[in-house]
């Protein structure tokens, strides 16, 4: 897999803040298509149909191919645009954010609205955890039982995740690893087993890793 990684959010989450008696609730979610983004927006809007505003933005595509936003009745440029600017600053794609506002009776002014919507978007992204998605491969391996201890020891220092084992006639195990680390992992496992290991590439996909920011 030669594609570059990208940033998105790890999970759907929300956070909220009260600013001058107005309640702002930020919702963020990973989405993979416009249709998925619109379903998320509709669900949040239904959940908060009594809110004063449900402003949103979403970015679809690893090259930010589709970007949409809405002020949902707030003064032009004070809600949707600030939300999408925070998303762009964080570098996230395949992501949707809704900021719900329950008006508290105090006008914030244009600058205050921009700050409030920007801040709430940032809270939502933090709650949903911005992560780096890396090209990732899942490999299936098989070794004889006498070699399993060597493999386990090697895995402690290798950039790979053990995702499953099966103890049958031989030991079968599955590893996830970044595509960039595949050559190193395969070489080390081959070395510690003196070449007595079978390997099969099962799957290629994007996945988050712990060193993500």
């Amino acid at each position: 897999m030669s594609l570059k990684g990208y940033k998105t959010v790890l999970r759907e989450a929300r956070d909220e803040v009260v600013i001058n008696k107005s309640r702002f609730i930020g919702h963020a979610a990973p989405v993979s298509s416009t249709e998925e983004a619109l379903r998320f927006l509709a669900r949040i809007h239904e959940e908060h149909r009594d809110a004063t505003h449900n402003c949103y933005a979403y970015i679809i595509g690893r090259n930010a191919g589709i970007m949409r936003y809405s002020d949902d009745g707030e003064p032009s440029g004070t809600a949707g645009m600030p939300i999408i600017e925070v998303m762009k600053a964080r570098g996230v794609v395949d992501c949707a954010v809704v900021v719900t506002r329950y008006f508290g009776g105090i006008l914030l002014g244009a600058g205050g609205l921009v700050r409030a919507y920007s801040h709430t978007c940032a809270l939502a992204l933090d709650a949903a955890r911005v992560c780096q998605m890396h090209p990732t491969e899942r490999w299936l391996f098989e070794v004889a039982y006498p070699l399993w201890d060597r493999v386990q020891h090697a895995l402690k220092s290798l950039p790979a995740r053990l995702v499953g084992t099966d103890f049958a006639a031989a030991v079968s195990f599955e590893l996830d690893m970044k595509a960039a680390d595949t050559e190193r992992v395969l070489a080390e496992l081959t070395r510690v087993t003196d070449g007595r290991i079978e390997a099969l590439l099962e799957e290629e996909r994007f996945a988050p890793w712990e060193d993500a920011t």
Side-chain angles (χ1 to χ4, degrees), residues 21-53:
K21 298 186 178 181
S22 280
R23 182 186 178 201
F24 290 87
I25 310 168
H27 321 258
V31 292
S32 58
S33 65
T34 299
E35 292 75 21
E36 192 174 347
L38 293 177
R39 285 195 297 271
F40 171 69
L41 302 180
R43 176 161 55 82
I44 298 302
H45 190 276
E46 175 63 22
E47 180 181 347
H48 296 282
R49 58 186 179 275
D50 58 337
T52 316
H53 306 281

Side-chain angles (χ1 to χ4, degrees), residues 50-119:
D50 58 337
T52 316
H53 306 281
N54 284 290
C55 307
Y56 68 81
Y58 61 86
I59 302 175
I60 305 296
R62 286 157 204 159
N63 295 314
I66 300 173
M67 295 190 289
R68 299 287 186 272
Y69 60 90
S70 169
D71 294 312
D72 192 35
E74 292 282 32
S76 178
T78 63
M81 179 64 78
I83 294 170
I84 209 165
E85 288 300 327
V86 171
M87 296 171 70
K88 288 162 65 177
R90 293 288 186 94
V92 296
V93 297
D94 287 355
C95 175
V97 174
V98 182
V99 177
T100 298
R101 182 189 185 191
Y102 288 88
F103 182 54
I106 299 176
L107 296 175
L108 301 183
L113 287 172
V114 169
R115 289 189 293 273
Y117 280 99
S118 298
H119 178 60

Side-chain angles (χ1 to χ4, degrees), residues 4-30:
K4 294 175 61 177
Y6 64 98
K7 284 184 179 180
T8 187
V9 291
L10 189 61
R11 58 178 179 264
E12 181 177 335
R14 67 180 62 188
D15 199 356
E16 63 180 85
V17 64
V18 175
I19 300 173
N20 287 348
K21 298 186 178 181
S22 280
R23 182 186 178 201
F24 290 87
I25 310 168
H27 321 258

Side-chain angles (χ1 to χ4, degrees), residues 58-195:
Y58 61 86
I59 302 175
I60 305 296
R62 286 157 204 159
N63 295 314
I66 300 173
M67 295 190 289
R68 299 287 186 272
Y69 60 90
S70 169
D71 294 312
D72 192 35
E74 292 282 32
S76 178
T78 63
M81 179 64 78
I83 294 170
I84 209 165
E85 288 300 327
V86 171
M87 296 171 70
K88 288 162 65 177
R90 293 288 186 94
V92 296
V93 297
D94 287 355
C95 175
V97 174
V98 182
V99 177
T100 298
R101 182 189 185 191
Y102 288 88
F103 182 54
I106 299 176
L107 296 175
L108 301 183
L113 287 172
V114 169
R115 289 189 293 273
Y117 280 99
S118 298
H119 178 60
T120 309
C121 175
L123 290 177
L125 293 177
D126 287 344
R129 280 191 58 193
V130 174
C131 62
Q132 184 77 23
M133 301 290 283
H134 293 274
T136 298
E137 298 178 354
R138 176 163 293 183
W139 286 75
L140 174 64
F141 297 90
E142 185 177 280
V143 294
Y145 277 89
L147 298 171
W148 178 233
D149 283 344
R150 296 190 202 175
V151 169
Q152 285 183 295
H153 181 73
L155 290 178
K156 292 177 182 179
S157 59
L158 286 175
R161 295 173 178 157
L162 181 64
V163 293
T165 54
D166 181 42
F167 300 96
V171 181
S172 298
F173 61 99
E174 289 180 307
L175 296 179
D176 279 352
M177 63 194 81
K178 296 177 193 174
D181 293 327
T182 298
E183 185 176 349
R184 173 188 167 190
V185 173
L186 294 180
E188 182 62 11
L189 292 179
T190 299
R191 186 189 69 80
V192 300
T193 60
D194 300 320

